[in-house]
Amino acid sequence: MILIISDKQRKIIDAYFRVLQENPDVTEVTLGMVASKVGMSRESVFRYHFRNVEEIRDKIHLLIDAEVYEKTKEFVESEGYSLFDFIDKELLPLLYIHRDWLKLMHLRGIDYRFQSFLLKKYIPIVEKYLDKIGKKEILSNYFIASIFVKEILSITSTWLNDDNPEPVSLFKEKFMHLLHQSPYDLLTSKDKVNKSEG
């Protein structure tokens, strides 16, 4: 599904991000401020495009996520496509495209709503993938899916919130390394090296 927005809505969204850059407190951002930045009246934005800033944020969430969600569904329904190939070739490049939006949303404290949106959407998809491949663990597939989605979100948000995030071609190897290690392995790997040297 390709999410269609009008040129006016695109301008309103761009204006919203400009207002966010100028106002450190997201709770003070109003529809009137956004309308003024785009050169429209508040009434016109309200009547024809967005009723409030929450609707603008919801549209941003959908714009960021639309293609990622479609690609993820295709992956889960496909046969023989590696999870790590999917992350490398599909997921990371799509996230990198929206890095400026994602960073600003995180810095202005509205990232938590997007995180909740993504968790509700992707945990069931990953659970379905685990059910499909017959993953059997002590933990439920739902629990494993929850951990996996949260780990992906944690790594990607840390990467994209860097002052100058590395391009996908440079970051993907680090990303895969992090996915293949448990937090325990990452924390104790130096200890293991020191013990082997001593």
Side-chain angles (χ1 to χ4, degrees), residues 3-4 10 19 21 34 68 77 93 124 139 161:
L3 195 62
I4 305 294
R10 171 66 71 174
V19 171
Q21 287 175 317
V34 175
V68 172
E77 292 163 7
L139 304 168
N161 281 299

Side-chain angles (χ1 to χ4, degrees), residues 177-178 180-197:
H177 174 74
L178 290 169
H180 282 90
Q181 302 290 318
S182 73
Y184 177 81
D185 291 334
L186 293 169
L187 289 170
T188 60
S189 61
K190 188 170 173 119
D191 290 341
K192 290 175 186 174
V193 170
N194 289 340
K195 285 179 183 174
S196 68
E197 289 173 353

Side-chain angles (χ1 to χ4, degrees), residues 91-125:
L91 181 64
L92 294 180
L94 288 173
L95 293 173
Y96 190 73
I97 288 167
H98 295 292
R99 65 192 178 279
D100 294 333
W101 282 9
L102 290 165
K103 182 173 184 174
L104 196 52
M105 288 169 67
H106 179 78
L107 291 175
R108 292 295 177 261
I110 58 176
D111 192 52
Y112 73 93
R113 289 186 71 223
F114 192 43
Q115 295 271 353
S116 298
F117 168 81
L118 294 174
L119 290 172
K120 286 179 189 169
K121 203 165 183 183
Y122 285 94
I123 289 172
I125 291 179

Side-chain angles (χ1 to χ4, degrees), residues 65-103:
D65 183 60
E67 196 172 356
V68 172
Y69 185 69
E70 288 303 313
K71 295 284 186 187
T72 304
K73 275 181 37 181
E74 286 173 22
F75 162 71
V76 168
E77 292 163 7
S78 70
E79 294 293 331
Y81 191 32
S82 157
L83 174 63
F84 296 106
D85 282 345
F86 165 72
I87 291 169
D88 174 16
K89 293 180 174 63
E90 304 284 355
L91 181 64
L92 294 180
L94 288 173
L95 293 173
Y96 190 73
I97 288 167
H98 295 292
R99 65 192 178 279
D100 294 333
W101 282 9
L102 290 165
K103 182 173 184 174

Side-chain angles (χ1 to χ4, degrees), residues 88 92-93 96 159 165-175:
D88 174 16
L92 294 180
Y96 190 73
W159 163 48
E166 291 181 298
V168 176
S169 60
L170 299 176
F171 182 72
K172 64 184 179 181
E173 195 171 314
K174 294 172 187 172
F175 187 91

